[in-house]
Amino acid sequence: MQLVDWLIVLVYLVLSLGLGLYLSRKASGSLVDFFVSGRSLPWWLAGTSMAATTFSIDTPLYIAGVVGNRGIAGNWEWWSFGISHLIMIYIFARMWRRSEIVTDAELTEIRYGGSIAALLRGTKAFLFAVPINCIAIGYAMLAMVKVVGALEIWQSLGIAPEASSVKLWSVLGVSILVLVYAGFAGLWGVVATDFFQFFFALLGAMIVAVVAINHVGGIHQLIPKVQEVTQQDVLAFFPLTVGSGGISWSETAGISASTFCAYVFLQWWAWRRSDGGGEFVQRLAASKNEADAEKAAWLFNIFHYVIRTWPWILVALAAMVIYPDLADRELGYPKLMLDFLPRGILGIVVTSLIAAFMSTVSTSINWGASYLTNDLYLRFVHPQASESELVLVGRIASVLVTVLGAIAAFFATDVATVFRLVIAIGTGPGLVLMLRWFWWRINAAAELTAMVAGFVVGFGTSVVPVIQIPDFGWRLLVTAGITGVLWVVVMLLTPPESDTTLDEFYRRVRPAGPGWKRQQLRTGLAPIQDLEHDLKRVLASILLMFGAMLAIGGFLLLKPLTGWVSLVIAVLGWMWLRQIKGSRE
């Protein structure tokens, strides 16, 4: 890092902080202004912000580690969530916007009634705001610390602290930076800066990819060199082989058959965000209207899966060739930056990583603070709190969430391991969260059981030495299975929600499907959406998005057959989607 690089970073930080503080005025009016932008976000801003939130500084490091250790097929660990994200577009986005909530935890006392619903809301708010959210903030901060260490930023300033001091001061520095940025701006400041941060971060990823590939002699040289440095089938998109005996599991696959099957057939519906969830719900609830919420969800999917996937993977493959003996594969990305980027360009790419970091952590801070403020303080501590008091509490809560996230970062060591822990402790309640929208019989006791059981079993099988399950796929299956049995039993042993509660929820959201026939008859209101029609659109969009994503990868990595087959699938999905839309018109 030379003077020109530092100047680029400094200018960016000043502009971002200035924009955030300027927009803080829009967040000071009320709780709704601070946490959901007064429900006035346009779709392009909400969708880009969703994409920026999922593009943190940890992401390129995580993918470098995944590809280096498990091959390209290992990316199904996060690609599989694309199924639930496409379901979110056509089924859940409009219902979330109609519910007019501030947080997804607030929905529990709209969908359910009584003391159990209140307990569920409080428990969910605490778990999501503190352990789950702070672990997520922690691994983003951990990635920032790794980049600071790999780029020798302290040394470039003439400081040579011990390793423990480097981690401590790096965590403190980034924590203060993000707190100042996110604590005052509210969601308006977060999403406005997200818009610029996303494209800046994407530019940085593309620069690193181009420089790294050029260094190894281009794609045509990269592919054979990758195959030389590893015994695994790193370049396979699926951990399968096709031979005379048919399709079989690849013996050189970087992931087990059980893990891959858990990704594709279980993870997307069993995870706690199967119906959108968390920060995405915050953006959907903040959109101008239902149509904008649906468009925002589509834009996010395009940015997240189709556009961003391959620059990261190309960099990971180049790092395998250039640093074949690198012990920590996650450091391949920052090492490429340090070794091959000239001054000025290095500053731009480092700034892009800082932009990615700020976009994700600022969102997590605002999101976590929304639970503490709306679902704990306002609901249980001071229900008569004024709007100005709630905004102040939101800012104080932002400080608390940041401090806890920094503590998690200080004790974490591996980005990919922490990411898997986040998945493990969030697996289990997903099916309940989806069914509660379409089946009146789901009650608060069932959802509470699913949430707590999933967290406890996932944490136990991942962290407690006595009951750890080494294979990740079996770990997810055990967590989902135990959780499923428990919530079904609890649901059958406890009474359903009252007709008054169910009717009020139906009037507000107007969900589709056969699970609400009694409520339709009692209220005399027809559902707003057509579930069968929406499910067809989901299937078509799965063909379109995954076909487009794999087609780009096939052509980039010199797999023309994969590219053309995937492209045909994408086109068929697009034509089917248009035909479904035309049939409704």
Side-chain angles (χ1 to χ4, degrees):
M1 292 284 288
Q2 303 299 316
L3 179 60
V4 63
D5 301 310
W6 280 113
L7 288 175
I8 293 171
V9 172
L10 181 61
V11 168
Y12 170 78
L13 292 178
V14 170
L15 292 175
S16 294
L17 292 173
L19 179 59
L21 293 174
Y22 172 77
L23 291 170
S24 66
R25 297 178 301 174
K26 297 176 70 69
S28 301
S30 67
L31 180 75
V32 171
D33 289 334
F34 192 83
F35 289 121
V36 289
S37 302
R39 307 195 194 280
S40 59
L41 288 185
W43 65 270
W44 52 269
L45 187 56
T48 305
S49 179
M50 291 164 69
T53 296
T54 55
F55 185 176
S56 180
I57 191 172
D58 62 272
T59 314
L61 274 68
Y62 158 74
I63 291 180
V66 166
V67 174
N69 296 318
R70 292 176 248 157
I72 292 178
N75 285 283
W76 284 102
E77 184 169 88
W78 64 279
W79 283 348
S80 63
F81 290 120
I83 300 173
S84 59
H85 289 152
L86 291 170
I87 294 173
M88 176 179 68
I89 296 174
Y90 293 117
I91 294 180
F92 294 114
R94 290 177 177 266
M95 290 194 294
W96 278 117
R97 182 60 183 84
R98 285 199 296 274
S99 66
E100 294 196 338
I101 42 81
V102 174
T103 68
D104 52 347
E106 184 180 349
L107 182 76
T108 57
E109 288 198 288
I110 298 173
R111 173 61 177 81
Y112 313 118
S115 58
I116 297 182
L119 176 62
L120 172 61
R121 180 177 179 178
T123 304
K124 177 177 285 191
F126 175 78
L127 286 179
F128 286 1
V130 181
I132 293 176
N133 186 46
C134 291
I135 289 173
I137 293 174
Y139 75 71
M141 288 185 175
L142 169 64
M144 184 71 183
V145 170
K146 281 195 170 189
V147 171
V148 168
L151 296 179
E152 301 178 350
I153 288 178
W154 288 108
Q155 289 80 353
S156 69
L157 293 172
I159 303 172
E162 296 180 357
S164 59
S165 298
V166 167
K167 192 167 189 179
L168 174 62
W169 288 107
S170 298
V171 168
L172 286 175
V174 297
S175 300
I176 294 172
L177 170 70
V178 177
L179 180 59
V180 173
Y181 167 73
F184 291 94
L187 188 62
W188 256 119
V190 171
V191 297
T193 48
D194 274 354
F195 183 78
F196 300 102
Q197 288 168 347
F198 171 78
F199 293 105
F200 202 12
L202 184 61
L203 173 65
M206 290 181 174
I207 290 174
V208 177
V210 170
V211 171
I213 292 171
N214 285 340
H215 178 77
V216 298
I219 290 289
H220 287 83
Q221 294 296 320
L222 174 66
I223 302 305
K225 288 180 179 179
V226 168
Q227 294 170 331
E228 290 175 7
V229 300
T230 179
Q231 300 300 314
Q232 295 181 348
D233 191 7
V234 172
L235 299 174
F237 295 172
F238 298 90
L240 305 169
T241 56
V242 180
S244 56
I247 299 176
S248 60
W249 191 258
S250 173
E251 295 181 359
T252 58
I255 57 176
S256 66
S258 58
T259 298
F260 177 74
C261 291
Y263 291 159
V264 177
F265 300 112
L266 184 149
Q267 182 172 274
W268 60 269
W269 59 261
W271 203 45
R272 61 181 172 83
R273 293 186 177 179
S274 58
D275 65 342
E279 304 96 326
F280 293 167
V281 169
Q282 191 181 32
R283 302 307 191 275
L284 298 175
S287 298
K288 286 183 177 180
N289 50 50
E290 294 177 34
D292 271 24
E294 185 176 293
K295 291 177 183 177
W298 242 128
L299 184 63
F300 157 72
N301 278 278
I302 293 171
F303 280 157
H304 185 57
Y305 295 102
V306 179
I307 294 178
R308 286 195 316 210
T309 288
W310 298 106
W312 293 331
I313 291 178
L314 291 174
V315 171
L317 294 174
M320 291 179 63
V321 172
I322 298 172
Y323 310 111
D325 300 320
L326 186 64
D328 187 349
R329 291 289 188 185
E330 292 177 356
L331 293 178
Y333 195 95
K335 280 185 67 64
L336 285 172
M337 293 166 51
L338 182 64
D339 292 345
F340 298 107
L341 296 182
R343 66 178 62 181
I345 300 297
L346 178 60
I348 291 174
V349 176
V350 169
T351 303
S352 75
L353 289 179
I354 293 175
F357 169 79
M358 292 174 69
S359 65
T360 296
V361 177
S362 61
T363 290
S364 295
I365 290 172
N366 183 268
W367 176 60
S370 71
Y371 287 122
L372 297 180
T373 306
N374 184 64
D375 301 300
L376 293 178
Y377 184 83
L378 178 61
R379 174 61 180 84
F380 298 104
V381 179
H382 193 187
Q384 288 77 39
S386 65
E387 294 294 345
S388 58
E389 179 182 347
L390 291 174
V391 172
L392 176 61
V393 171
R395 287 171 173 155
I396 295 173
S398 299
V399 176
L400 177 61
V401 170
T402 306
V403 170
L404 294 174
I407 293 172
F410 188 73
F411 289 101
T413 57
D414 182 79
V415 173
T417 299
V418 179
F419 183 79
R420 280 194 159 190
L421 174 61
V422 171
I423 293 176
I425 63 178
T427 295
L431 185 59
V432 174
L433 298 181
M434 297 176 78
L435 288 177
R436 66 181 177 176
W437 295 92
F438 302 107
W439 188 24
W440 65 273
R441 187 59 182 87
I442 299 293
N443 58 13
E447 184 174 333
L448 179 61
T449 301
M451 184 182 62
V452 174
F455 180 86
V456 172
V457 176
F459 189 85
T461 55
S462 302
V463 176
V464 180
V466 179
I467 57 174
Q468 280 190 28
I469 301 175
D471 186 87
F472 191 60
W474 281 107
R475 194 186 315 168
L476 296 182
L477 182 61
V478 167
T479 302
I482 294 176
T483 303
V485 170
L486 290 175
W487 75 254
V488 169
V489 170
V490 169
M491 181 188 70
L492 295 176
L493 293 177
T494 53
E497 301 299 327
S498 68
D499 289 342
T500 301
T501 299
L502 294 172
D503 290 350
E504 180 57 34
F505 174 77
Y506 181 79
R507 287 190 185 95
R508 184 166 184 162
V509 180
R510 304 273 291 278
W516 295 101
K517 286 186 177 180
R518 293 168 58 185
Q519 288 71 33
Q520 292 171 18
L521 292 174
R522 282 201 301 266
T523 62
L525 299 173
I528 293 178
Q529 295 176 224
D530 184 331
L531 185 58
E532 181 181 354
H533 175 260
D534 290 342
L535 287 174
K536 289 179 181 178
R537 292 201 292 174
V538 168
L539 293 175
S541 64
I542 288 174
L543 296 177
L544 171 57
M545 192 188 76
F546 282 103
M549 183 186 76
L550 296 177
I552 293 173
F555 292 127
L556 277 176
L557 297 180
L558 308 181
K559 297 184 173 186
L561 179 60
T562 299
W564 284 113
V565 170
S566 300
L567 182 59
V568 169
I569 292 173
V571 171
L572 291 175
W574 175 74
M575 293 174 63
W576 188 17
L577 202 57
R578 285 181 59 86
Q579 186 269 328
I580 295 171
K581 181 180 179 181
S583 66
R584 291 283 289 183
E585 296 174 350

